[in-house]
Amino acid sequence: MVRLDTGEVEGVEALVRWQHPERGLLAPDTFLAVAEETGQIIPITRWLLRETTRRAAAWAAEGLPLRMAVNISARHFSAETLVRDVRLALRESGLAADQLVLELTETSIAEDPTRAEDQLTVLRRAGVRVAIDDFGTGWSSLAQLFSLPIGTLKIDRSLLVAAERVTGGEGGAVLAAIVALTRTLGIRSVAEGVETVEHLRMVREAGCDLVQGWLLGHAMPGDDVPRWVRSVQEAGGDACAIAAAATSVPTAP
Ligand code: CA
Ligand code: CA
């Protein structure tokens, strides 16, 4: 995740891959649905929380404090072990709580708003940040969503694509309206799926706080993150400017 005002890399989102003994490296969509159904998603996420907080703490110790965002499933949220799992991961890793962001979809929160509010309040008090993921793909009530103690709203790529299709700048107005709403409520906004310089221009005009997507950086192994962030820093620190400059130059054959 990159800040739009400075272009600084603020954090990363952890995406889990499975090194299958026979089928090789598997993308999340090939196994997470099954893991979700069978409940295996809870131990997987518990492991992921420990692993990612450990890494983020190690990066911070090397002078690279990056926020770590972890996707939390509805199943984990309703199992009510989340608060305990998060606390344990933070305690074991020594990572500062505000460096951890839990990403929850609107749907997982809408399932049981009261329980969601209770858990989010506890997490928030502990200092952990909570983000609403894939905003725009669910049908949750805005009033209900924004009454929860959330710190960040991640605007789904589909809203960006829809806004791009609308001609005459009206699409950008929709994005700007969402961002204005988050501002009023003191919530930061992240534009997801930013893949082109045009996307970057649109979300900048809309006033988003942060951006994420292929334009800024492809998914990479965790081990490569420090090298990538350092290369951005050495090139001036503005990941947005670097990405825009890279796309304006024809690539070598
Ligand atoms: Ca996510
Ligand atoms: Ca997302």
Side-chain angles (χ1 to χ4, degrees):
M1 267 152 280
V2 171
R3 288 177 65 123
L4 257 172
D5 55 352
T6 59
E8 181 196 351
V9 181
E10 183 177 287
V12 290
E13 176 178 349
L15 300 171
V16 67
R17 298 278 189 277
W18 180 15
Q19 184 65 54
H20 191 278
E22 280 138 37
R23 293 165 61 198
L25 199 61
L26 301 182
D29 53 352
T30 57
F31 61 89
L32 282 187
V34 179
E36 183 90 41
E37 244 167 61
T38 58
Q40 276 300 104
I41 192 72
I42 297 173
I44 291 174
T45 308
R46 194 175 288 141
W47 170 81
L48 189 66
L49 280 166
R50 295 169 87 157
E51 182 62 21
T52 52
T53 52
R54 188 184 62 73
R55 269 179 192 251
W59 294 339
E62 289 170 30
L64 281 183
L66 293 171
R67 286 224 162 95
M68 180 61 85
V70 179
N71 294 293
I72 303 294
S73 85
R75 184 104 181 209
H76 202 160
F77 203 49
S78 59
E80 303 205 10
T81 64
L82 182 63
V83 172
R84 200 174 60 213
D85 294 340
V86 165
R87 281 204 171 125
L88 188 65
L90 287 173
R91 196 164 56 227
E92 282 182 359
S93 64
L95 182 73
D98 71 346
Q99 292 296 90
L100 178 64
V101 185
L102 304 178
E103 297 195 358
L104 287 144
T105 61
E106 303 170 62
T107 353
S108 66
I109 281 174
E111 263 175 32
D112 189 341
T114 316
R115 186 165 56 194
E117 184 166 5
D118 291 348
Q119 290 195 64
L120 295 184
T121 305
V122 175
L123 288 164
R124 197 78 170 133
R125 281 210 192 109
V128 175
R129 288 164 187 263
V130 177
I132 298 299
D133 202 3
D134 307 336
F135 176 75
T137 58
W139 296 94
S140 52
S141 138
L142 278 184
Q144 197 176 65
L145 197 62
F146 288 144
S147 70
L148 294 167
I150 55 170
T152 311
L153 188 76
K154 297 189 79 172
I155 302 167
D156 191 71
R157 183 179 177 276
S158 56
L159 278 184
L160 195 61
V161 173
E164 199 181 23
R165 282 209 196 105
V166 181
T167 50
E170 298 292 322
V174 173
L175 278 181
I178 295 169
V179 175
L181 190 58
T182 61
R183 280 268 157 84
T184 313
L185 297 162
I187 297 168
R188 296 173 91 205
S189 55
V190 183
E192 294 190 290
V194 171
E195 292 173 4
T196 64
V197 174
E198 174 60 15
H199 287 162
L200 188 62
R201 190 193 60 75
M202 276 171 49
V203 301
R204 176 168 276 147
E205 265 180 32
C208 287
D209 297 301
L210 297 140
V211 276
Q212 170 178 351
W214 288 353
L215 180 69
L216 289 318
H218 283 255
M220 63 184 84
D223 287 343
D224 294 350
V225 169
R227 200 181 324 136
W228 172 65
V229 177
R230 289 218 166 87
S231 74
V232 170
Q233 289 173 347
E234 280 155 19
D238 187 341
C240 295
I242 295 166
T247 52
S248 66
V249 181
T251 46

Short mmCIF file of all heavy atoms in Angstrom, two decimals, residues 128-165:
data_model
loop_
_atom_site.label_atom_id
_atom_site.label_comp_id
_atom_site.label_asym_id
_atom_site.label_seq_id
_atom_site.Cartn_x
_atom_site.Cartn_y
_atom_site.Cartn_z
N VAL A 128 -5.02 -2.35 17.26
CA VAL A 128 -4.98 -2.97 15.94
C VAL A 128 -5.88 -2.18 14.99
O VAL A 128 -6.92 -1.67 15.39
CB VAL A 128 -5.47 -4.44 16.02
CG1 VAL A 128 -5.57 -5.08 14.65
CG2 VAL A 128 -4.56 -5.24 16.93
N ARG A 129 -5.46 -2.07 13.72
CA ARG A 129 -6.27 -1.35 12.75
C ARG A 129 -7.20 -2.31 12.02
O ARG A 129 -6.83 -3.45 11.76
CB ARG A 129 -5.38 -0.66 11.72
CG ARG A 129 -4.67 0.52 12.33
CD ARG A 129 -3.52 0.97 11.50
NE ARG A 129 -2.82 2.00 12.24
CZ ARG A 129 -3.00 3.30 12.07
NH1 ARG A 129 -3.86 3.74 11.17
NH2 ARG A 129 -2.34 4.16 12.79
N VAL A 130 -8.37 -1.82 11.71
CA VAL A 130 -9.33 -2.65 10.99
C VAL A 130 -9.71 -1.96 9.69
O VAL A 130 -10.01 -0.77 9.67
CB VAL A 130 -10.59 -2.91 11.86
CG1 VAL A 130 -11.61 -3.73 11.08
CG2 VAL A 130 -10.22 -3.62 13.15
N ALA A 131 -9.67 -2.73 8.60
CA ALA A 131 -10.04 -2.20 7.29
C ALA A 131 -11.22 -2.98 6.72
O ALA A 131 -11.31 -4.19 6.91
CB ALA A 131 -8.86 -2.30 6.33
N ILE A 132 -12.13 -2.27 6.08
CA ILE A 132 -13.20 -2.94 5.34
C ILE A 132 -12.65 -3.21 3.94
O ILE A 132 -12.22 -2.29 3.25
CB ILE A 132 -14.46 -2.05 5.25
CG1 ILE A 132 -15.03 -1.77 6.64
CG2 ILE A 132 -15.51 -2.71 4.35
CD1 ILE A 132 -15.46 -2.99 7.41
N ASP A 133 -12.66 -4.49 3.58
CA ASP A 133 -12.06 -4.94 2.32
C ASP A 133 -13.12 -5.01 1.22
O ASP A 133 -14.30 -5.19 1.50
CB ASP A 133 -11.48 -6.34 2.56
CG ASP A 133 -10.40 -6.69 1.56
OD1 ASP A 133 -10.06 -5.84 0.72
OD2 ASP A 133 -9.90 -7.83 1.63
N ASP A 134 -12.68 -4.88 -0.03
CA ASP A 134 -13.55 -5.07 -1.21
C ASP A 134 -14.82 -4.22 -1.13
O ASP A 134 -15.88 -4.68 -1.54
CB ASP A 134 -13.95 -6.55 -1.37
CG ASP A 134 -12.75 -7.49 -1.39
OD1 ASP A 134 -11.65 -7.03 -1.73
OD2 ASP A 134 -12.93 -8.68 -1.06
N PHE A 135 -14.72 -3.00 -0.62
CA PHE A 135 -15.92 -2.17 -0.50
C PHE A 135 -16.52 -1.91 -1.87
O PHE A 135 -15.82 -1.55 -2.82
CB PHE A 135 -15.60 -0.84 0.18
CG PHE A 135 -16.78 0.09 0.24
CD1 PHE A 135 -17.80 -0.15 1.13
CD2 PHE A 135 -16.88 1.16 -0.64
CE1 PHE A 135 -18.92 0.68 1.16
CE2 PHE A 135 -17.99 2.00 -0.61
CZ PHE A 135 -19.01 1.76 0.30
N GLY A 136 -17.84 -2.11 -1.96
CA GLY A 136 -18.52 -1.91 -3.24
C GLY A 136 -18.98 -3.23 -3.84
O GLY A 136 -19.72 -3.25 -4.81
N THR A 137 -18.54 -4.35 -3.25
CA THR A 137 -18.96 -5.65 -3.77
C THR A 137 -20.10 -6.25 -2.95
O THR A 137 -20.74 -7.20 -3.36
CB THR A 137 -17.80 -6.67 -3.78
OG1 THR A 137 -17.31 -6.80 -2.44
CG2 THR A 137 -16.65 -6.18 -4.66
N GLY A 138 -20.33 -5.72 -1.76
CA GLY A 138 -21.39 -6.25 -0.91
C GLY A 138 -22.59 -5.33 -0.96
O GLY A 138 -22.63 -4.37 -1.70
N TRP A 139 -23.55 -5.65 -0.13
CA TRP A 139 -24.77 -4.85 -0.12
C TRP A 139 -25.07 -4.37 1.29
O TRP A 139 -26.21 -4.29 1.70
CB TRP A 139 -25.95 -5.66 -0.67
CG TRP A 139 -25.75 -6.02 -2.09
CD1 TRP A 139 -25.20 -7.19 -2.56
CD2 TRP A 139 -26.05 -5.21 -3.24
NE1 TRP A 139 -25.15 -7.15 -3.93
CE2 TRP A 139 -25.67 -5.96 -4.37
CE3 TRP A 139 -26.61 -3.95 -3.40
CZ2 TRP A 139 -25.82 -5.46 -5.66
CZ3 TRP A 139 -26.76 -3.48 -4.70
CH2 TRP A 139 -26.37 -4.21 -5.80
N SER A 140 -24.02 -4.12 2.04
CA SER A 140 -24.25 -3.75 3.42
C SER A 140 -24.77 -2.32 3.51
O SER A 140 -24.57 -1.51 2.62
CB SER A 140 -22.95 -3.88 4.21
OG SER A 140 -21.93 -3.18 3.56
N SER A 141 -25.41 -2.05 4.62
CA SER A 141 -25.93 -0.70 4.85
C SER A 141 -24.77 0.22 5.21
O SER A 141 -23.96 -0.09 6.08
CB SER A 141 -26.96 -0.76 5.99
OG SER A 141 -26.80 0.33 6.85
N LEU A 142 -24.69 1.33 4.52
CA LEU A 142 -23.60 2.28 4.77
C LEU A 142 -23.65 2.79 6.20
O LEU A 142 -22.62 2.93 6.85
CB LEU A 142 -23.70 3.46 3.81
CG LEU A 142 -23.14 3.27 2.41
CD1 LEU A 142 -23.24 4.57 1.65
CD2 LEU A 142 -21.71 2.81 2.46
N ALA A 143 -24.86 3.07 6.67
CA ALA A 143 -25.02 3.60 8.02
C ALA A 143 -24.46 2.62 9.04
O ALA A 143 -23.74 2.99 9.96
CB ALA A 143 -26.48 3.89 8.30
N GLN A 144 -24.78 1.32 8.81
CA GLN A 144 -24.34 0.28 9.71
C GLN A 144 -22.82 0.12 9.65
O GLN A 144 -22.14 0.06 10.67
CB GLN A 144 -25.00 -1.01 9.27
CG GLN A 144 -25.00 -2.10 10.28
CD GLN A 144 -25.78 -3.28 9.73
OE1 GLN A 144 -25.39 -3.90 8.74
NE2 GLN A 144 -26.90 -3.56 10.34
N LEU A 145 -22.31 0.12 8.43
CA LEU A 145 -20.87 -0.06 8.21
C LEU A 145 -20.07 1.05 8.87
O LEU A 145 -19.09 0.82 9.57
CB LEU A 145 -20.61 -0.07 6.70
CG LEU A 145 -19.29 -0.62 6.21
CD1 LEU A 145 -19.18 -2.09 6.60
CD2 LEU A 145 -19.21 -0.48 4.70
N PHE A 146 -20.52 2.28 8.66
CA PHE A 146 -19.75 3.41 9.16
C PHE A 146 -19.98 3.69 10.65
O PHE A 146 -19.35 4.56 11.21
CB PHE A 146 -20.04 4.65 8.31
CG PHE A 146 -19.42 4.55 6.94
CD1 PHE A 146 -20.07 5.07 5.83
CD2 PHE A 146 -18.19 3.95 6.75
CE1 PHE A 146 -19.51 4.98 4.56
CE2 PHE A 146 -17.62 3.84 5.49
CZ PHE A 146 -18.28 4.36 4.39
N SER A 147 -20.88 2.94 11.26
CA SER A 147 -21.05 3.11 12.70
C SER A 147 -20.04 2.23 13.44
O SER A 147 -19.86 2.33 14.65
CB SER A 147 -22.48 2.74 13.12
OG SER A 147 -22.66 1.35 13.00
N LEU A 148 -19.36 1.34 12.70
CA LEU A 148 -18.37 0.45 13.32
C LEU A 148 -17.03 1.15 13.48
O LEU A 148 -16.71 2.06 12.73
CB LEU A 148 -18.21 -0.80 12.45
CG LEU A 148 -19.43 -1.72 12.35
CD1 LEU A 148 -19.25 -2.72 11.23
CD2 LEU A 148 -19.66 -2.43 13.67
N PRO A 149 -16.23 0.69 14.45
CA PRO A 149 -14.93 1.34 14.67
C PRO A 149 -13.89 0.91 13.65
O PRO A 149 -12.95 0.19 13.97
CB PRO A 149 -14.55 0.88 16.09
CG PRO A 149 -15.24 -0.42 16.27
CD PRO A 149 -16.48 -0.39 15.43
N ILE A 150 -14.07 1.33 12.41
CA ILE A 150 -13.11 0.96 11.37
C ILE A 150 -12.19 2.13 11.07
O ILE A 150 -12.58 3.28 11.22
CB ILE A 150 -13.80 0.48 10.07
CG1 ILE A 150 -14.77 1.54 9.55
CG2 ILE A 150 -14.49 -0.84 10.28
CD1 ILE A 150 -15.30 1.27 8.17
N GLY A 151 -10.96 1.82 10.66
CA GLY A 151 -10.00 2.88 10.39
C GLY A 151 -9.78 3.12 8.91
O GLY A 151 -9.39 4.21 8.49
N THR A 152 -10.05 2.08 8.11
CA THR A 152 -9.74 2.16 6.69
C THR A 152 -10.82 1.52 5.85
O THR A 152 -11.42 0.52 6.24
CB THR A 152 -8.41 1.40 6.41
OG1 THR A 152 -7.42 1.82 7.35
CG2 THR A 152 -7.89 1.67 5.01
N LEU A 153 -11.08 2.12 4.69
CA LEU A 153 -12.02 1.54 3.74
C LEU A 153 -11.26 1.24 2.46
O LEU A 153 -10.65 2.13 1.86
CB LEU A 153 -13.14 2.54 3.44
CG LEU A 153 -14.30 2.01 2.60
CD1 LEU A 153 -15.21 1.13 3.46
CD2 LEU A 153 -15.11 3.16 2.02
N LYS A 154 -11.26 -0.03 2.06
CA LYS A 154 -10.58 -0.40 0.83
C LYS A 154 -11.60 -0.49 -0.30
O LYS A 154 -12.49 -1.35 -0.28
CB LYS A 154 -9.84 -1.73 1.00
CG LYS A 154 -8.74 -1.65 2.05
CD LYS A 154 -7.88 -2.89 2.07
CE LYS A 154 -6.86 -2.87 0.97
NZ LYS A 154 -5.88 -4.00 1.10
N ILE A 155 -11.48 0.42 -1.25
CA ILE A 155 -12.45 0.51 -2.33
C ILE A 155 -12.11 -0.51 -3.41
O ILE A 155 -11.01 -0.50 -3.97
CB ILE A 155 -12.47 1.94 -2.91
CG1 ILE A 155 -12.82 2.93 -1.79
CG2 ILE A 155 -13.44 2.05 -4.08
CD1 ILE A 155 -12.57 4.39 -2.15
N ASP A 156 -13.05 -1.42 -3.67
CA ASP A 156 -12.79 -2.52 -4.58
C ASP A 156 -12.51 -2.05 -6.00
O ASP A 156 -13.04 -1.04 -6.47
CB ASP A 156 -13.98 -3.49 -4.59
CG ASP A 156 -13.65 -4.78 -5.31
OD1 ASP A 156 -12.86 -5.56 -4.76
OD2 ASP A 156 -14.14 -4.98 -6.44
N ARG A 157 -11.71 -2.85 -6.68
CA ARG A 157 -11.32 -2.59 -8.06
C ARG A 157 -12.54 -2.42 -8.97
O ARG A 157 -12.50 -1.65 -9.92
CB ARG A 157 -10.49 -3.80 -8.51
CG ARG A 157 -9.94 -3.67 -9.87
CD ARG A 157 -9.10 -4.88 -10.24
NE ARG A 157 -8.67 -4.70 -11.62
CZ ARG A 157 -9.41 -5.03 -12.66
NH1 ARG A 157 -10.58 -5.60 -12.49
NH2 ARG A 157 -8.97 -4.80 -13.88
N SER A 158 -13.63 -3.16 -8.68
CA SER A 158 -14.81 -3.09 -9.55
C SER A 158 -15.39 -1.68 -9.60
O SER A 158 -15.90 -1.25 -10.63
CB SER A 158 -15.87 -4.09 -9.08
OG SER A 158 -16.20 -3.85 -7.73
N LEU A 159 -15.29 -0.94 -8.50
CA LEU A 159 -15.79 0.45 -8.50
C LEU A 159 -14.91 1.33 -9.37
O LEU A 159 -15.39 2.24 -10.04
CB LEU A 159 -15.82 1.01 -7.08
CG LEU A 159 -17.02 0.65 -6.21
CD1 LEU A 159 -16.95 1.38 -4.87
CD2 LEU A 159 -18.33 1.02 -6.91
N LEU A 160 -13.63 1.03 -9.36
CA LEU A 160 -12.67 1.78 -10.17
C LEU A 160 -12.95 1.54 -11.66
O LEU A 160 -13.00 2.47 -12.46
CB LEU A 160 -11.26 1.30 -9.80
CG LEU A 160 -10.08 2.14 -10.24
CD1 LEU A 160 -10.16 3.51 -9.61
CD2 LEU A 160 -8.78 1.46 -9.82
N VAL A 161 -13.17 0.26 -11.99
CA VAL A 161 -13.43 -0.12 -13.38
C VAL A 161 -14.75 0.51 -13.83
O VAL A 161 -14.85 1.05 -14.94
CB VAL A 161 -13.46 -1.67 -13.52
CG1 VAL A 161 -13.91 -2.08 -14.91
CG2 VAL A 161 -12.08 -2.24 -13.22
N ALA A 162 -15.76 0.48 -12.96
CA ALA A 162 -17.06 1.07 -13.29
C ALA A 162 -16.91 2.57 -13.52
O ALA A 162 -17.45 3.13 -14.46
CB ALA A 162 -18.06 0.79 -12.18
N ALA A 163 -16.14 3.21 -12.65
CA ALA A 163 -15.94 4.66 -12.75
C ALA A 163 -15.21 5.01 -14.04
O ALA A 163 -15.49 6.04 -14.67
CB ALA A 163 -15.13 5.15 -11.55
N GLU A 164 -14.32 4.11 -14.47
CA GLU A 164 -13.54 4.34 -15.68
C GLU A 164 -14.44 4.29 -16.92
O GLU A 164 -14.23 5.01 -17.89
CB GLU A 164 -12.46 3.27 -15.77
CG GLU A 164 -11.32 3.62 -16.69
CD GLU A 164 -10.30 2.50 -16.76
OE1 GLU A 164 -10.65 1.33 -16.48
OE2 GLU A 164 -9.15 2.78 -17.10
N ARG A 165 -15.46 3.43 -16.87
CA ARG A 165 -16.35 3.24 -18.02
C ARG A 165 -17.27 4.43 -18.24
O ARG A 165 -17.67 4.72 -19.35
CB ARG A 165 -17.21 1.99 -17.81
CG ARG A 165 -16.45 0.74 -18.08
CD ARG A 165 -17.36 -0.39 -18.55
NE ARG A 165 -16.65 -1.64 -18.43
CZ ARG A 165 -16.90 -2.53 -17.48
NH1 ARG A 165 -17.86 -2.33 -16.62
NH2 ARG A 165 -16.21 -3.63 -17.42
#
